[in-house]
Amino acid sequence: MPRPGITAMIPCYNEADCVERAYREIRSELVSYDDVELLFIDDGSTDGTLEAIKGFAAEDPLVKYISFARNFGLEAAFSAGFKYASKPWTVQFDADLQSPPHEMHRLVQKVLEGYDVVFAVREDRRDPWYRRLGTRGHQMIASRWLGIELPLGASVFRIVRTSVARKVVDSRLSTPYFIATAPLLGARYTTLPTSHRPRVDGQGKWNLRKLFGHALELFVGFSFRPLVWLNGLAAAMVTAGIVILGLASAGRLGPAEVAAASLVTGLVTLTLLAVAARYLVRVMRVQAIGVPRYQIREANIPIRADEALYGHETPYAIADIWENAS
Ligand code: UDP
Ligand code: MG
């Protein structure tokens, strides 16, 4: 079996309690390959996560880091990670180590069978019931009802051919949704069951609002069926409305029935409007494709000037910038 070059990518948002352990565990698994790096993406942490990462980097030449100017979200973080990963394969980890780093070897073995992506599927997922139900529910709706192809149960623990990952995150089909974009581009992918453990330190970053928004991104970003269905429903309502009007004017329906019918029609109209608005947001996002999804405040690797908040074509640290400015 060849020993491939691997970037271990670790997005971190306020993970001061976990990041040291993550560094040690991931590093100890990673060094069994010859050509490796650890790439931390600090997604605008405010709790000392970046300072910890800089501490590792000062001692360890394998550690690279990028730090965002604010919290831009996990999708932005892994998009930057795939862009700046320098090895042919990238394994994405979670800083809380819910997906155990030693499982990476099985992902590597699997991908070398001839895939571009292997997604880990958490066996016996150790997250709250509403998270498990939410993932299963929205992925089922997406794949069964909306015809969206995606690896069911895929988590963000995955190994990806870095060049393909860059295509996926660059394509920005109006919404960053990695697991639905990879199949759309023709990436060869499969899934692999891996073990999972509860978060021990720090806080999970997902609340119900974020989860709901994420599901809607998938539905609206990759399918027009909700709009088609609602238009069908609207047409049915118009027909029903005409019939009700006819019946009312013939004196066969009272004011209470007519009022109830108009309430239902009103509700359908509002739903249709809300869904149409989501699609409008989608169009606006496509138009905003030239706008960068994140800005980098500091890093210890060269960063494209348009993605660096201070515009330098560096490697740079914030201290250098202040020195140069004064
Ligand atoms: N994360 C991030 N930016 C965010 C939210 C999360 O980089 O805005 C990182 C987080 O630090 C962790 C990973 O994404 O390394 C997964 O987050 P979390 O453990 O909260 O997700 P869950 O395991 O609950 O799905
Ligand atoms: Mg987690």
Side-chain angles (χ1 to χ4, degrees), residues 40-202:
F40 286 92
I41 317 296
D42 165 44
D43 184 11
S45 300
T46 50
D47 70 342
T49 301
L50 175 61
E51 290 64 28
I53 294 170
K54 285 161 97 170
F56 314 145
E59 310 268 301
D60 182 352
L62 293 183
V63 174
K64 312 279 187 276
Y65 68 87
I66 287 170
S67 177
F68 282 174
R70 65 167 171 82
N71 177 236
F72 282 90
L74 178 59
E75 276 90 0
F78 70 66
S79 298
F82 287 133
K83 185 167 246 170
Y84 291 102
S86 73
K87 310 297 177 196
W89 295 96
T90 303
V91 181
Q92 182 177 339
F93 292 90
D94 277 350
D96 59 8
L97 300 182
Q98 284 194 262
S99 292
H102 66 82
E103 294 279 27
M104 74 169 284
H105 307 299
R106 295 180 53 235
L107 292 178
V108 172
Q109 274 195 335
K110 190 76 193 166
V111 89
L112 293 179
E113 287 174 15
Y115 296 100
D116 301 311
V117 196
V118 180
F119 294 100
V121 173
R122 295 157 286 209
E123 260 186 336
D124 188 18
R125 180 174 171 191
R126 308 294 292 276
D127 277 324
W129 64 270
Y130 61 88
R131 293 286 314 273
R132 301 197 302 271
L133 191 74
T135 305
R136 185 167 297 188
H138 92 268
Q139 290 193 351
M140 279 298 186
I141 294 174
S143 85
R144 293 247 174 99
W145 296 357
L146 304 181
I148 302 167
E149 182 183 343
L150 45 80
L152 286 178
S155 69
V156 292
F157 183 38
R158 53 200 169 198
I159 182 165
V160 195
R161 193 186 292 276
T162 307
S163 56
V164 172
R166 283 191 194 125
K167 280 267 158 85
V168 172
V169 296
D170 277 349
S171 66
R172 298 197 61 190
L173 303 155
S174 78
T175 176
Y177 211 104
F178 193 95
I179 66 170
T181 310
L184 210 56
L185 297 188
R188 287 200 278 186
Y189 68 92
T190 190
T191 55
L192 186 75
T194 57
S195 54
H196 195 243
R197 37 194 199 192
R199 184 186 256 274
V200 240
D201 297 307

